[in-house]
Amino acid sequence: MLLTIVSAVFVFGLLVLFHELGHFITAKMTGMRVDEFAIGFGPKLVGIKYGETSYSLRVFPLGGFNKIAGMDPEDEPDERSYSSKPVWARMIVILAGSVMNFILPILLFFGIYFFSGIHTPSVDPTLGEVMAHKPAAEAGLKQGDRILKIDDQAIDSWQQFVEIVQVSDGKVLKIDFKRDENQLATSLIPEYDDTAKRAMIGVVSSVTTYQPGFFEAGVLAVKNTGFVTYKMIETLGSIIMGKTAADLAGPLGVAQMAGEVAQIGFVPLLQFAAFLSINLGIINLFPIPALDGGHFITLLIEAVRGKPLQPKAIQYAQIIGFALLMALMIFATLNDITR
């Protein structure tokens, strides 16, 4: 439970920090006054004022905000308020949060590739991690063992090994394997996994590691971020068109996944944060009032009309958008609880 909480706070905090940092930096660059930069919601834990901006950490670290002068329609406008700046400046500030959500994965992937290397599953039938209290571990198999035969059938690849195991639920398998220079044998019974929908014995394949250089790691990080973004947009398109069923996860589900990934290691947690950041960047660009994409559409209409929309119209649109988001959040949370 503690690991899940810490992992969720780390992931949400990192994503929110970069998103709000995008709004903050561009607001400062375009001459807007930022009264407060906060990580979290609720009562203030600690705070410090530097220049004209207060920096604070709040009780609930699952969010954050920038208080930019003039963004609230009730604020008294001045020459440094958001509403007084040209449309192009406000567009930059609005889009900067999502842009930072695409920059963060590039930095995370770069750090993973450069410092940890690129790990590729091996095609050889050699065991990587052997999970405790699973059939393989209880049968005495260890990391580094090479599977030679199953029930006297020669095993030449990891894929062949997996294909035999996954259809052998409840069946006793005799396994011949090589450890160092010794050829040994054992027996085990695969267990059916309800989540994976197949029999498993609690092992993963060994991996080969490639260590890219500094510039290669940067290029690969950009390419991977672009590839993941493309696949996510493609999947969202399939969901919207009704070709793929939507499987929504709310904050509870994401927190649970963060805890599960953290149990594997810190690098997988960073990869999870990168995927989640891309997802957040895409979703936040949806043309829904209350999201950055909705604000951008409002600014686009203002640019075309030559004058801003009426404050009441913007307020009503944001209320509707917020209500839609809350309904979606409740639905996703109910899914989390059901799971």
Side-chain angles (χ1 to χ4, degrees):
M1 177 62 75
L2 179 60
L3 181 61
T4 298
I5 294 173
V6 172
S7 302
V9 169
F10 170 76
V11 170
F12 283 120
L14 185 64
L15 267 57
V16 169
L17 173 64
F18 266 75
H19 183 91
E20 295 301 331
L21 200 58
H23 294 313
F24 174 80
I25 292 172
T26 50
K28 290 282 190 180
M29 288 175 60
T30 52
M32 298 178 191
R33 191 180 78 250
V34 182
D35 294 326
E36 184 176 2
F37 178 85
I39 297 297
F41 292 112
K44 185 185 298 185
L45 285 176
V46 291
I48 185 172
K49 187 164 185 177
Y50 183 76
E52 64 186 11
T53 305
S54 296
Y55 302 87
S56 63
L57 180 65
R58 304 286 177 135
V59 171
F60 305 107
L62 304 180
F65 63 91
N66 278 290
K67 188 177 180 183
I68 302 174
M71 286 204 77
D72 188 336
E74 296 182 359
D75 290 346
E76 192 69 32
D78 58 40
E79 70 278 358
R80 295 193 58 208
S81 65
Y82 172 85
S83 56
S84 301
K85 296 298 178 181
V87 173
W88 64 263
R90 284 177 277 155
M91 284 181 171
I92 289 174
V93 173
I94 288 300
L95 293 178
S98 291
V99 170
M100 288 296 281
N101 281 129
F102 293 107
I103 292 175
L104 175 59
I106 294 174
L107 297 177
L108 291 176
F109 285 136
F110 169 78
I112 291 169
Y113 295 156
F114 185 68
F115 293 105
S116 182
I118 298 173
H119 305 288
T120 306
S122 174
V123 296
D124 296 328
T126 301
L127 303 184
E129 181 185 358
V130 178
M131 302 174 192
H133 311 301
K134 296 294 183 180
E138 293 177 353
L141 292 173
K142 296 181 180 179
Q143 183 173 348
D145 291 347
R146 182 183 178 89
I147 306 300
L148 301 175
K149 296 179 182 179
I150 295 181
D151 290 342
D152 296 325
Q153 178 182 346
I155 301 298
D156 301 315
S157 68
W158 180 262
Q159 184 62 32
Q160 183 188 10
F161 169 62
V162 171
E163 287 175 355
I164 293 174
V165 169
Q166 66 183 5
V167 295
S168 302
D169 175 34
K171 179 183 176 182
V172 178
L173 298 180
K174 179 191 174 186
I175 296 181
D176 294 286
F177 61 96
K178 186 176 182 181
R179 179 179 296 165
D180 299 326
E181 297 301 321
N182 302 315
Q183 185 167 329
L184 306 169
T186 188
S187 296
L188 54 79
I189 302 175
E191 297 176 347
Y192 187 78
D193 186 277
D194 291 326
T195 303
K197 305 298 183 185
R198 60 188 175 89
M200 304 178 74
I201 62 173
V203 297
V204 295
S205 67
S206 60
V207 296
T208 57
T209 302
Y210 171 68
Q211 193 71 49
F214 183 87
F215 293 105
E216 186 181 5
V219 171
L220 290 172
V222 172
K223 286 183 176 180
N224 194 35
T225 300
F227 174 76
V228 173
T229 302
Y230 169 77
K231 297 303 291 184
M232 283 188 178
I233 293 174
E234 185 180 55
T235 302
L236 283 170
S238 296
I239 292 173
I240 293 171
M241 296 298 291
K243 297 178 181 179
T244 304
D247 186 15
L248 297 176
L252 293 178
V254 173
Q256 183 182 15
M257 285 186 278
E260 291 171 353
V261 172
Q263 292 179 17
I264 304 173
F266 186 60
V267 169
L269 184 63
L270 292 180
Q271 292 174 322
F272 177 72
F275 287 122
L276 202 61
S277 184
I278 294 171
N279 188 276
L280 176 62
I282 294 172
I283 297 298
N284 212 40
L285 289 175
F286 278 18
I288 299 174
L291 293 180
D292 288 346
H295 287 298
F296 182 78
I297 293 298
T298 301
L299 293 173
L300 202 58
I301 294 172
E302 179 181 338
V304 172
R305 295 176 75 235
K307 60 180 180 180
L309 293 172
Q310 292 296 322
K312 282 291 183 183
I314 296 176
Q315 184 180 9
Y316 288 143
Q318 289 182 346
I319 290 172
I320 293 171
F322 184 76
L324 289 173
L325 290 177
M326 287 300 100
L328 187 63
M329 183 72 71
I330 292 170
F331 177 72
T333 302
L334 289 174
N335 273 351
D336 294 340
I337 295 171
T338 302
R339 278 194 292 262

